[in-house]
Amino acid sequence: MATILNLKTKNQIYADFKSFVEAALTEFSINNWEVKKLHQVIKTEDLKPCVYLQISDNPDYGAQYKKNIIEDNKYYKKYSQKKEVEIRFSATRREKLSDTVETYNGIDVLEIVKNYLQSDDGITMLANKGYAQYRASNVQEQSFTNDDENIQLMPYFDCEYLYTDNWQKQINKLDKVQEIYKKGV
């Protein structure tokens, strides 16, 4: 029977990256921002400042490998697969008459999140959950507004992360080798 050692489900990936963004917002005392999956119902008239997460790609480009291991006098074949996931981070926030030069808009918050994830603390946090950052894009500053001209339309950046899924299966101990062919026959 096979045993899953580590498997990043889509829900696990979303939960991990939600916690990463929340840690970045907490680190810089950015309050009143929510973090959500992009694919959920959103009432735009009640739109609160929000960072959205979307898995935009999850290709199987990674290497697959296996190795034999011994644990507690039992023999296992451990299978591992390196995986990539591309996360799109986007943000929205209604602009208000009360905004000041200290007010963070969506672009500002995304820059802070991106920079935090690339800091020593961010890299350590990612590594503790089994991720390595691979490649980040620039924050795309979309310059659209709604009819009331008070909301930025989803600035975003994309980042690729690497992780490893693995599982193992108990195997029998190899205790003899038998020749299956003879030379010169």
Side-chain angles (χ1 to χ4, degrees), residues 8 16 26 45 50 72 79 93-94 118 139 160:
K8 296 280 189 189
D16 289 345
T26 299
E45 65 271 4
C50 195
D72 300 325
Y79 298 86
R93 182 190 173 279
R94 285 193 183 276
Q118 294 174 339
V139 173
E160 290 180 39

Side-chain angles (χ1 to χ4, degrees), residues 98-137:
S98 59
D99 287 352
T100 67
V101 293
E102 286 88 25
T103 302
Y104 295 112
N105 64 28
I107 294 166
D108 300 325
V109 167
L110 290 178
E111 287 287 352
I112 289 168
V113 167
K114 180 181 167 190
N115 291 335
Y116 181 73
L117 290 175
Q118 294 174 339
S119 72
D120 290 344
D121 289 344
I123 291 169
T124 300
M125 183 177 54
L126 288 164
N128 288 339
K129 292 278 191 166
Y131 297 95
Q133 186 169 321
Y134 184 52
R135 178 182 23 241
S137 71

Side-chain angles (χ1 to χ4, degrees), residues 35-98:
V35 183
K36 297 180 179 181
K37 286 185 193 178
L38 183 59
H39 301 294
Q40 46 187 60
V41 177
I42 301 165
K43 293 183 178 185
T44 55
E45 65 271 4
D46 298 331
L47 193 62
K48 297 176 182 158
C50 195
V51 175
Y52 296 98
L53 302 171
Q54 175 186 3
I55 296 175
S56 55
D57 197 11
N58 197 0
D60 252 353
Y61 297 145
Q64 296 179 13
Y65 56 95
K66 60 187 173 193
K67 72 178 190 176
N68 295 330
I69 58 174
I70 302 171
E71 282 182 4
D72 300 325
N73 283 333
K74 293 181 182 176
Y75 298 83
Y76 297 93
K77 187 168 294 289
K78 181 178 179 181
Y79 298 86
S80 298
Q81 182 176 20
K82 297 288 185 186
K83 306 274 290 206
E84 295 180 21
V85 63
E86 184 175 273
I87 306 289
R88 174 163 285 182
F89 299 82
S90 52
T92 56
R93 182 190 173 279
R94 285 193 183 276
E95 294 183 6
K96 302 175 185 170
L97 292 175
S98 59

